[in-house]
Amino acid sequence: MSATGTRTTTTGTAVAGSPPAAPAPRPRRAPRPGRILLVAVLTAAALYFLLPVYWLLVAATKSNDSLYGSFGLWFDDPRLWDNLSRVFSYDGHVYLRWTLNSLLYAGVGAVLATLLSAAAGFALAKYRFAGREAVFTFVLAGVLLPSTALALPLYLMFSKLELTNTYWGVLIPSVVSPFGVYLCRIYAEAAVPDTLLEAARVDGAGEGRIFFSLVLRIMTPALVTVFLFQFVHIWNNYFLPLVMLSDDRKYPITLGLVTWQQAADRVPELTQYTIGGAFVSVVPLAVAMLVLQRFWQTGLTEGSVKE
Amino acid sequence: MSTSVQPGRARSGKAARGRRRGRPDRKAWAFLGPFLALYLFAMVVPVLYAVYQSMLKVERSGPMGLGEPSVGFAGFENYSLALHQETFVEGFGRVLLFGIVQVPVMLVLALVLALLLDQVSHRWAGLLRATYFLPYGIPGVIATILWGFLYVPGVSPVTSVLGDLGFQPDFLGYDNVLWSVANIVVWQFAGYNMLIIIAQLKAVPQELYEAARIDGAGPWQTALRIKLPLVRPALVLTTVFSIIGTMQLFAEPLVLKKVAPAVTTDYTPNLSAYFDAFANANLYLAAAKSVILAVVAMVLSFGFLSLVTRKQRSER
């Protein structure tokens, strides 16, 4: 079999994150004029996607005055370090607090969401019980429910239960991921062999032990995908914390930066702090995206591939 | 069980114990339980509660309604109030128009990039893919803050460069601001959708491409005749997500509102509901609007799904 053929089988069976068996030769070269067009389009797209991030990098090094007075795409008396230390120290280190909050909401929320989705997805894939399909359809409906249409209803209910303006108000809704259950079911169906479960049962392992020591390991690629999805989803979420939280010490970064941006009329230096704060929050994520993007390719289309 | 296992089983007491336990399928509910409980608590019950709230209203007793306010049953009054509110309905029209333009533009861009990356050497493809995907990691509000700076004359290098070239774009004007929002959404999600399409392309057996090449198909023909039909499921998935995303439009216009007076408090249905709840203190009307929004989003995505599956079936 050719090298390309081997590659197909590895990706085809969706072994996530495993490198291709051999560097695939890319024999197909478009003819010259097509080649130029190809490079032009890809470069233009790269410039488009990088433009705001590059602007942010430049702007973060500027003073509040030169933000308005100098050309936006080039440096002018760079003072990045000074700017960033002001971002962190402003208002009793509130920015640091927001960062920790964001990490708490997104980190803890995504871990719990992944575990819950894995257990539910596994159960839906590998057990036969009455009501299985009904439960699955019921969960799928949740995928189609827009999360921001849900934020207000959640607020209405949580305010009755006095859960608003608490960490729980943001955390509890974040651990529910119907899409995660969907992905986990599809993946478990394809990747967890029935014979393996049978063998483990014969060896006397309980269902819980099978799940924690066997199934979770096999499902790791899908779990990484679900975790990353949910992490980004919670990290980026704006509406839910906006309606839930009134104490700015509980804010995540997104909410905090918007309050700075909105208050810049009264406190002009907040414009620079908003930019600096955005820079600080974007850089680690940008690096993470570069490193982690290959995981996104796994499991994403597991379900849609089947026709 | 096959007979060959029997001797092994006889030797192992552990295995015999394993056999005696009840049917494992009963354990399914133990695995489902935690998720279902939280799903009910954080998604299903709130929706039901919102439906209930949407049927309530504040009633005032006494002469000229000056007495003690009390909560009474309103039936569908809030719904009819919402649907008769011209600005609310206009907001729906606006997001529909937005979606009709923005979703195809974004998906075509994603598709073109995915197909083109297939033609580039491995190393470059990886780097470019990561570059295109990068905006997905930037929260919508932060992306909006960034683009906001690029839209505002005075700070923006874009308007200053265009100004030097003789253009005077008004990105935040009444006619343009919707498309300025669309640009932010395209910027954020084109790379994400591209990645979904690429994942689908990779799942296609390479033999298919080889066969096409042997049959004399060039790269363009391969892309149009073979790859395009094959990524159809990925396109369906991304379209449904985009429809849901469009209906939710909230953070981007809210943040742009500060620099763009054209963005009103009723600019999108979501904004309208938010301002009813938190600025006008009419929770019941806000609940009705949320329910309308959720229903429209689900009808649209279900509608699209059944449309494509029906078409698929008739094609076969």
Side-chain angles (χ1 to χ4, degrees), chain B residues 82-124:
Chain B
L83 293 173
H84 279 97
Q85 214 174 69
E86 218 171 288
T87 49
F88 178 66
V89 178
E90 271 170 19
F92 262 107
R94 199 171 285 122
V95 291
L96 279 179
L97 173 69
F98 178 93
I100 289 169
V101 176
Q102 185 267 333
V103 174
V105 166
M106 174 178 69
L107 291 182
V108 167
L109 179 64
L111 181 65
V112 166
L113 291 178
L115 290 175
L116 289 184
L117 281 185
D118 234 25
Q119 303 290 325
V120 184
S121 76
H122 206 68
R123 197 162 44 111
W124 283 107

Short mmCIF file of all heavy atoms in Angstrom, two decimals, chain B residues 82-124:
data_model
loop_
_atom_site.label_atom_id
_atom_site.label_comp_id
_atom_site.label_asym_id
_atom_site.label_seq_id
_atom_site.Cartn_x
_atom_site.Cartn_y
_atom_site.Cartn_z
N ALA B 82 -45.36 41.57 22.48
CA ALA B 82 -44.04 41.50 21.85
C ALA B 82 -44.17 41.54 20.33
O ALA B 82 -43.45 42.26 19.64
CB ALA B 82 -43.30 40.24 22.29
N LEU B 83 -45.12 40.74 19.82
CA LEU B 83 -45.24 40.63 18.36
C LEU B 83 -45.85 41.88 17.74
O LEU B 83 -45.74 42.10 16.53
CB LEU B 83 -46.06 39.39 17.99
CG LEU B 83 -45.36 38.07 18.36
CD1 LEU B 83 -46.29 36.88 18.13
CD2 LEU B 83 -44.07 37.90 17.56
N HIS B 84 -46.52 42.69 18.57
CA HIS B 84 -47.03 43.96 18.04
C HIS B 84 -46.03 45.09 18.20
O HIS B 84 -46.29 46.20 17.77
CB HIS B 84 -48.36 44.32 18.72
CG HIS B 84 -49.52 43.60 18.13
ND1 HIS B 84 -50.04 42.45 18.68
CD2 HIS B 84 -50.24 43.83 17.01
CE1 HIS B 84 -51.02 42.00 17.93
NE2 HIS B 84 -51.17 42.82 16.91
N GLN B 85 -44.92 44.78 18.88
CA GLN B 85 -43.89 45.80 19.05
C GLN B 85 -43.07 45.87 17.76
O GLN B 85 -42.32 44.95 17.45
CB GLN B 85 -43.00 45.41 20.22
CG GLN B 85 -42.48 46.57 21.01
CD GLN B 85 -41.72 46.07 22.22
OE1 GLN B 85 -40.66 45.51 22.10
NE2 GLN B 85 -42.29 46.28 23.40
N GLU B 86 -43.24 46.98 17.05
CA GLU B 86 -42.63 47.06 15.73
C GLU B 86 -41.12 46.85 15.78
O GLU B 86 -40.55 46.13 14.96
CB GLU B 86 -42.93 48.44 15.13
CG GLU B 86 -43.20 48.39 13.65
CD GLU B 86 -43.69 49.75 13.18
OE1 GLU B 86 -44.84 50.11 13.50
OE2 GLU B 86 -42.90 50.45 12.55
N THR B 87 -40.47 47.45 16.79
CA THR B 87 -39.01 47.37 16.83
C THR B 87 -38.53 45.95 17.09
O THR B 87 -37.47 45.54 16.61
CB THR B 87 -38.46 48.30 17.93
OG1 THR B 87 -39.19 48.05 19.14
CG2 THR B 87 -38.62 49.75 17.54
N PHE B 88 -39.31 45.20 17.86
CA PHE B 88 -38.93 43.82 18.15
C PHE B 88 -38.99 42.97 16.88
O PHE B 88 -38.07 42.21 16.57
CB PHE B 88 -39.85 43.24 19.23
CG PHE B 88 -39.57 41.80 19.58
CD1 PHE B 88 -38.38 41.44 20.19
CD2 PHE B 88 -40.52 40.82 19.29
CE1 PHE B 88 -38.13 40.11 20.52
CE2 PHE B 88 -40.26 39.49 19.62
CZ PHE B 88 -39.07 39.14 20.22
N VAL B 89 -40.07 43.14 16.12
CA VAL B 89 -40.23 42.39 14.88
C VAL B 89 -39.16 42.81 13.87
O VAL B 89 -38.59 41.99 13.15
CB VAL B 89 -41.65 42.58 14.31
CG1 VAL B 89 -41.81 41.82 13.00
CG2 VAL B 89 -42.69 42.10 15.33
N GLU B 90 -38.87 44.13 13.86
CA GLU B 90 -37.81 44.61 12.98
C GLU B 90 -36.47 43.96 13.33
O GLU B 90 -35.67 43.64 12.45
CB GLU B 90 -37.65 46.13 13.10
CG GLU B 90 -38.53 46.91 12.14
CD GLU B 90 -38.51 48.40 12.46
OE1 GLU B 90 -37.57 48.85 13.15
OE2 GLU B 90 -39.43 49.09 12.03
N GLY B 91 -36.24 43.76 14.62
CA GLY B 91 -35.01 43.11 15.07
C GLY B 91 -34.91 41.71 14.48
O GLY B 91 -33.83 41.29 14.03
N PHE B 92 -36.03 40.99 14.46
CA PHE B 92 -36.05 39.65 13.85
C PHE B 92 -35.70 39.74 12.37
O PHE B 92 -34.90 38.97 11.85
CB PHE B 92 -37.42 39.00 14.01
CG PHE B 92 -37.46 38.05 15.17
CD1 PHE B 92 -38.13 38.38 16.33
CD2 PHE B 92 -36.82 36.84 15.10
CE1 PHE B 92 -38.15 37.52 17.40
CE2 PHE B 92 -36.83 35.96 16.16
CZ PHE B 92 -37.51 36.31 17.32
N GLY B 93 -36.33 40.70 11.69
CA GLY B 93 -36.04 40.90 10.28
C GLY B 93 -34.56 41.16 10.07
O GLY B 93 -33.94 40.64 9.14
N ARG B 94 -34.00 41.96 10.97
CA ARG B 94 -32.59 42.33 10.84
C ARG B 94 -31.69 41.11 10.98
O ARG B 94 -30.79 40.90 10.17
CB ARG B 94 -32.24 43.36 11.91
CG ARG B 94 -30.99 44.14 11.63
CD ARG B 94 -30.82 45.27 12.61
NE ARG B 94 -31.69 46.39 12.35
CZ ARG B 94 -32.57 46.89 13.22
NH1 ARG B 94 -32.70 46.34 14.41
NH2 ARG B 94 -33.32 47.91 12.90
N VAL B 95 -31.92 40.25 12.00
CA VAL B 95 -31.04 39.09 12.14
C VAL B 95 -31.27 38.08 11.01
O VAL B 95 -30.33 37.40 10.60
CB VAL B 95 -31.16 38.38 13.52
CG1 VAL B 95 -30.61 39.25 14.61
CG2 VAL B 95 -32.56 37.94 13.81
N LEU B 96 -32.49 38.03 10.47
CA LEU B 96 -32.73 37.14 9.34
C LEU B 96 -31.93 37.61 8.12
O LEU B 96 -31.24 36.82 7.46
CB LEU B 96 -34.22 37.07 8.99
CG LEU B 96 -35.04 36.13 9.87
CD1 LEU B 96 -36.49 36.16 9.45
CD2 LEU B 96 -34.51 34.70 9.78
N LEU B 97 -32.02 38.91 7.83
CA LEU B 97 -31.26 39.49 6.73
C LEU B 97 -29.77 39.24 6.96
O LEU B 97 -29.03 38.82 6.06
CB LEU B 97 -31.54 40.99 6.64
CG LEU B 97 -30.69 41.80 5.65
CD1 LEU B 97 -31.06 41.43 4.23
CD2 LEU B 97 -30.88 43.30 5.88
N PHE B 98 -29.35 39.50 8.18
CA PHE B 98 -27.96 39.27 8.57
C PHE B 98 -27.54 37.83 8.26
O PHE B 98 -26.53 37.59 7.61
CB PHE B 98 -27.83 39.56 10.07
CG PHE B 98 -26.46 39.32 10.65
CD1 PHE B 98 -25.56 40.35 10.74
CD2 PHE B 98 -26.10 38.06 11.11
CE1 PHE B 98 -24.29 40.14 11.28
CE2 PHE B 98 -24.84 37.85 11.65
CZ PHE B 98 -23.94 38.89 11.73
N GLY B 99 -28.38 36.89 8.69
CA GLY B 99 -28.06 35.48 8.51
C GLY B 99 -28.02 35.08 7.04
O GLY B 99 -27.13 34.33 6.61
N ILE B 100 -28.97 35.60 6.26
CA ILE B 100 -29.04 35.24 4.85
C ILE B 100 -27.77 35.66 4.13
O ILE B 100 -27.30 35.00 3.21
CB ILE B 100 -30.29 35.88 4.19
CG1 ILE B 100 -31.55 35.20 4.71
CG2 ILE B 100 -30.23 35.79 2.68
CD1 ILE B 100 -32.83 35.92 4.35
N VAL B 101 -27.17 36.76 4.56
CA VAL B 101 -25.94 37.23 3.91
C VAL B 101 -24.71 36.63 4.58
O VAL B 101 -23.83 36.06 3.94
CB VAL B 101 -25.86 38.77 3.93
CG1 VAL B 101 -24.53 39.24 3.35
CG2 VAL B 101 -27.02 39.36 3.18
N GLN B 102 -24.66 36.74 5.91
CA GLN B 102 -23.43 36.40 6.62
C GLN B 102 -23.12 34.91 6.58
O GLN B 102 -21.96 34.52 6.36
CB GLN B 102 -23.53 36.89 8.07
CG GLN B 102 -22.28 36.71 8.90
CD GLN B 102 -22.29 35.39 9.66
OE1 GLN B 102 -23.32 34.85 9.97
NE2 GLN B 102 -21.10 34.88 9.93
N VAL B 103 -24.13 34.06 6.76
CA VAL B 103 -23.87 32.62 6.82
C VAL B 103 -23.27 32.09 5.51
O VAL B 103 -22.24 31.44 5.53
CB VAL B 103 -25.14 31.84 7.25
CG1 VAL B 103 -24.90 30.34 7.16
CG2 VAL B 103 -25.53 32.22 8.67
N PRO B 104 -23.88 32.40 4.34
CA PRO B 104 -23.27 31.93 3.11
C PRO B 104 -21.86 32.49 2.87
O PRO B 104 -20.96 31.76 2.47
CB PRO B 104 -24.22 32.41 2.02
CG PRO B 104 -25.51 32.61 2.70
CD PRO B 104 -25.18 33.04 4.08
N VAL B 105 -21.68 33.79 3.15
CA VAL B 105 -20.35 34.38 2.94
C VAL B 105 -19.31 33.63 3.77
O VAL B 105 -18.25 33.23 3.28
CB VAL B 105 -20.35 35.88 3.31
CG1 VAL B 105 -18.93 36.42 3.42
CG2 VAL B 105 -21.13 36.68 2.29
N MET B 106 -19.65 33.42 5.04
CA MET B 106 -18.70 32.77 5.94
C MET B 106 -18.42 31.33 5.50
O MET B 106 -17.26 30.89 5.48
CB MET B 106 -19.25 32.78 7.36
CG MET B 106 -18.43 32.00 8.35
SD MET B 106 -19.12 32.13 9.99
CE MET B 106 -20.63 31.20 9.79
N LEU B 107 -19.48 30.61 5.12
CA LEU B 107 -19.29 29.20 4.79
C LEU B 107 -18.56 29.03 3.46
O LEU B 107 -17.75 28.12 3.30
CB LEU B 107 -20.63 28.46 4.78
CG LEU B 107 -21.25 28.33 6.18
CD1 LEU B 107 -22.54 27.55 6.13
CD2 LEU B 107 -20.28 27.68 7.15
N VAL B 108 -18.83 29.93 2.50
CA VAL B 108 -18.11 29.85 1.24
C VAL B 108 -16.63 30.14 1.48
O VAL B 108 -15.75 29.42 0.99
CB VAL B 108 -18.69 30.84 0.19
CG1 VAL B 108 -17.76 31.00 -0.99
CG2 VAL B 108 -20.05 30.34 -0.29
N LEU B 109 -16.35 31.15 2.31
CA LEU B 109 -14.96 31.45 2.64
C LEU B 109 -14.30 30.24 3.31
O LEU B 109 -13.19 29.83 2.96
CB LEU B 109 -14.90 32.67 3.57
CG LEU B 109 -13.51 33.09 4.04
CD1 LEU B 109 -12.65 33.53 2.87
CD2 LEU B 109 -13.59 34.22 5.07
N ALA B 110 -15.01 29.65 4.26
CA ALA B 110 -14.47 28.48 4.97
C ALA B 110 -14.20 27.33 4.00
O ALA B 110 -13.16 26.68 4.05
CB ALA B 110 -15.43 28.04 6.07
N LEU B 111 -15.16 27.12 3.10
CA LEU B 111 -15.03 26.03 2.13
C LEU B 111 -13.85 26.26 1.19
O LEU B 111 -13.03 25.36 0.94
CB LEU B 111 -16.34 25.90 1.35
CG LEU B 111 -16.42 24.80 0.30
CD1 LEU B 111 -16.35 23.45 0.98
CD2 LEU B 111 -17.70 24.91 -0.50
N VAL B 112 -13.76 27.50 0.66
CA VAL B 112 -12.67 27.82 -0.26
C VAL B 112 -11.33 27.63 0.43
O VAL B 112 -10.41 26.99 -0.12
CB VAL B 112 -12.82 29.27 -0.79
CG1 VAL B 112 -11.55 29.74 -1.47
CG2 VAL B 112 -14.00 29.36 -1.74
N LEU B 113 -11.22 28.12 1.66
CA LEU B 113 -9.94 27.99 2.38
C LEU B 113 -9.61 26.52 2.62
O LEU B 113 -8.47 26.10 2.47
CB LEU B 113 -9.99 28.77 3.69
CG LEU B 113 -10.03 30.30 3.55
CD1 LEU B 113 -10.13 30.96 4.92
CD2 LEU B 113 -8.82 30.81 2.80
N ALA B 114 -10.63 25.75 3.00
CA ALA B 114 -10.40 24.32 3.27
C ALA B 114 -9.91 23.62 2.01
O ALA B 114 -8.95 22.84 2.03
CB ALA B 114 -11.66 23.67 3.80
N LEU B 115 -10.56 23.90 0.87
CA LEU B 115 -10.18 23.24 -0.37
C LEU B 115 -8.79 23.69 -0.83
O LEU B 115 -7.99 22.89 -1.32
CB LEU B 115 -11.21 23.52 -1.47
CG LEU B 115 -12.58 22.84 -1.27
CD1 LEU B 115 -13.56 23.28 -2.35
CD2 LEU B 115 -12.44 21.33 -1.27
N LEU B 116 -8.50 24.98 -0.67
CA LEU B 116 -7.20 25.49 -1.11
C LEU B 116 -6.08 24.92 -0.24
O LEU B 116 -5.01 24.56 -0.74
CB LEU B 116 -7.17 27.01 -1.06
CG LEU B 116 -8.00 27.74 -2.12
CD1 LEU B 116 -7.79 29.25 -2.03
CD2 LEU B 116 -7.66 27.26 -3.53
N LEU B 117 -6.33 24.83 1.07
CA LEU B 117 -5.29 24.31 1.96
C LEU B 117 -4.91 22.88 1.59
O LEU B 117 -3.81 22.43 1.86
CB LEU B 117 -5.75 24.37 3.43
CG LEU B 117 -5.65 25.72 4.10
CD1 LEU B 117 -6.00 25.62 5.57
CD2 LEU B 117 -4.24 26.29 3.96
N ASP B 118 -5.84 22.19 0.96
CA ASP B 118 -5.59 20.82 0.52
C ASP B 118 -4.54 20.76 -0.58
O ASP B 118 -4.00 19.71 -0.87
CB ASP B 118 -6.91 20.22 0.01
CG ASP B 118 -7.21 18.91 0.71
OD1 ASP B 118 -6.72 18.74 1.83
OD2 ASP B 118 -7.92 18.08 0.13
N GLN B 119 -4.27 21.92 -1.19
CA GLN B 119 -3.36 21.96 -2.33
C GLN B 119 -1.97 22.43 -1.93
O GLN B 119 -1.08 22.55 -2.77
CB GLN B 119 -3.89 22.92 -3.41
CG GLN B 119 -5.27 22.58 -3.91
CD GLN B 119 -5.26 21.31 -4.73
OE1 GLN B 119 -4.32 21.03 -5.45
NE2 GLN B 119 -6.31 20.53 -4.61
N VAL B 120 -1.81 22.76 -0.64
CA VAL B 120 -0.55 23.37 -0.20
C VAL B 120 0.30 22.32 0.50
O VAL B 120 -0.22 21.34 1.01
CB VAL B 120 -0.87 24.53 0.76
CG1 VAL B 120 0.39 25.26 1.18
CG2 VAL B 120 -1.82 25.50 0.10
N SER B 121 1.59 22.53 0.52
CA SER B 121 2.47 21.57 1.17
C SER B 121 2.12 21.46 2.66
O SER B 121 1.60 22.40 3.26
CB SER B 121 3.93 22.00 1.02
OG SER B 121 4.20 23.07 1.92
N HIS B 122 2.43 20.32 3.22
CA HIS B 122 2.01 19.97 4.56
C HIS B 122 2.34 21.05 5.59
O HIS B 122 1.51 21.45 6.40
CB HIS B 122 2.68 18.66 4.95
CG HIS B 122 1.93 17.89 5.97
ND1 HIS B 122 0.72 17.31 5.70
CD2 HIS B 122 2.21 17.63 7.26
CE1 HIS B 122 0.29 16.72 6.78
NE2 HIS B 122 1.17 16.89 7.75
N ARG B 123 3.59 21.54 5.54
CA ARG B 123 4.06 22.47 6.55
C ARG B 123 3.28 23.78 6.49
O ARG B 123 2.81 24.29 7.50
CB ARG B 123 5.55 22.73 6.30
CG ARG B 123 6.28 23.33 7.47
CD ARG B 123 7.78 23.13 7.26
NE ARG B 123 8.11 23.44 5.88
CZ ARG B 123 8.84 24.52 5.52
NH1 ARG B 123 9.25 25.37 6.42
NH2 ARG B 123 9.15 24.72 4.26
N TRP B 124 3.14 24.32 5.28
CA TRP B 124 2.42 25.59 5.13
C TRP B 124 0.96 25.43 5.51
O TRP B 124 0.36 26.31 6.11
CB TRP B 124 2.54 26.10 3.69
CG TRP B 124 3.87 26.72 3.46
CD1 TRP B 124 4.91 26.20 2.73
CD2 TRP B 124 4.34 27.96 3.98
NE1 TRP B 124 5.98 27.05 2.78
CE2 TRP B 124 5.66 28.14 3.54
CE3 TRP B 124 3.77 28.95 4.81
CZ2 TRP B 124 6.42 29.26 3.87
CZ3 TRP B 124 4.51 30.05 5.14
CH2 TRP B 124 5.83 30.21 4.68
#
